[in-house]
Amino acid sequence: MKLYADRLPTAIRQLLTDLLVVLWIYLWIRVALWISDTVEKLAVPGQKLESAGAGIADNLADAGSKVGRVPVVGDELTKPLTGAADAARAISDAGQQQQDLVGQLALIIPAIAVAVPLAIVLLLWLPLRLRWMRRAGVAAAVRDDPAGRDLLALRALAGRPLGELSRLGPDIAQSWRAGDADAVDALAELELRSLGLRTR
């Protein structure tokens, strides 16, 4: 395959683009995992709050049951301890709710972090890649057929930049119209190279 001085061959550019897309997706997955780990650390205070609240509630409930055995005033002494135990359980529940919220955020935020780059890939890169694959597939199928080579030559005349066409000669279009086999082959090869294909 001939190289253009001002750019890489199409096949190499396609390969490099594919590698960059894979690297792009991999990096965003790593970023999403890092975000998830970072957000998960926000659950530590909730875990401590839940543990402390549960411990205080158990101790107060235990103390209330012991105080409740005191004759005459036991019931009166138990009420404040029971209320305090309920408040401690509410603190423990708040700690659990905070952990649940952090767990949801640890799923949602990384999902958004991955979804945006993936959407860019699916909406911008993938359609272009599929279009190139279709064009290259059709060109590969017709490149050995004389009529197909004539179509490739016509496609080159219609689509390639004037600078590339002028390198084939100042009268390349006229030679193609006259049916010059060398001109047809040169134009077909130019179109095949632009798609990253070789002539057989």
Side-chain angles (χ1 to χ4, degrees):
M1 183 189 302
K2 295 179 183 178
L3 298 178
Y4 295 126
D6 56 343
R7 64 178 185 162
L8 291 172
T10 302
I12 293 176
R13 283 189 292 121
Q14 289 289 352
L15 178 62
L16 290 176
T17 303
D18 293 347
L19 291 175
L20 286 174
V21 167
V22 170
L23 180 62
W24 167 266
I25 293 171
Y26 171 77
L27 288 176
W28 277 105
I29 289 173
R30 296 292 299 173
V31 167
L33 292 173
W34 175 80
I35 291 172
S36 179
D37 290 343
T38 302
V39 173
E40 284 286 352
K41 291 176 183 174
L42 298 176
V44 172
Q47 293 167 357
K48 291 180 179 178
L49 195 61
E50 179 187 13
S51 176
I56 292 170
D58 290 343
N59 289 336
L60 289 171
D62 186 46
S65 66
K66 290 178 182 176
V67 169
R69 295 185 210 141
V70 175
V72 182
V73 294
D75 289 341
E76 292 299 319
L77 294 175
T78 301
K79 287 181 183 177
L81 292 173
T82 302
D86 290 342
R89 285 191 192 93
I91 292 172
S92 178
D93 290 344
Q96 180 59 52
Q97 290 172 2
Q98 192 258 354
Q99 291 176 69
D100 293 342
L101 178 61
V102 168
Q104 291 173 359
L105 289 176
L107 292 175
I108 293 171
I109 295 174
I112 292 172
V114 170
V116 172
L118 282 179
I120 291 172
V121 167
L122 292 175
L123 296 176
L124 298 180
W125 172 80
L126 189 59
L128 293 174
R129 188 71 168 98
L130 292 175
R131 179 177 168 224
W132 174 81
M133 290 171 64
R134 281 194 305 270
R135 288 180 61 204
V138 171
V142 301
R143 68 181 158 191
D144 292 329
D145 182 34
R149 292 187 69 75
D150 200 42
L151 286 174
L152 289 171
L154 177 60
R155 176 80 185 190
L157 280 171
R160 303 314 310 153
L162 291 176
E164 292 181 13
L165 294 172
S166 66
R167 290 182 199 140
L168 300 178
D171 58 346
I172 189 66
Q174 183 178 353
S175 298
W176 173 78
R177 277 196 302 271
D180 184 341
D182 290 338
V184 169
D185 286 344
L187 287 165
E189 184 178 347
L190 179 64
E191 181 64 16
L192 289 169
R193 280 200 317 261
S194 74
L195 294 171
L197 299 174
R198 294 175 182 267
T199 57
R200 289 182 180 174

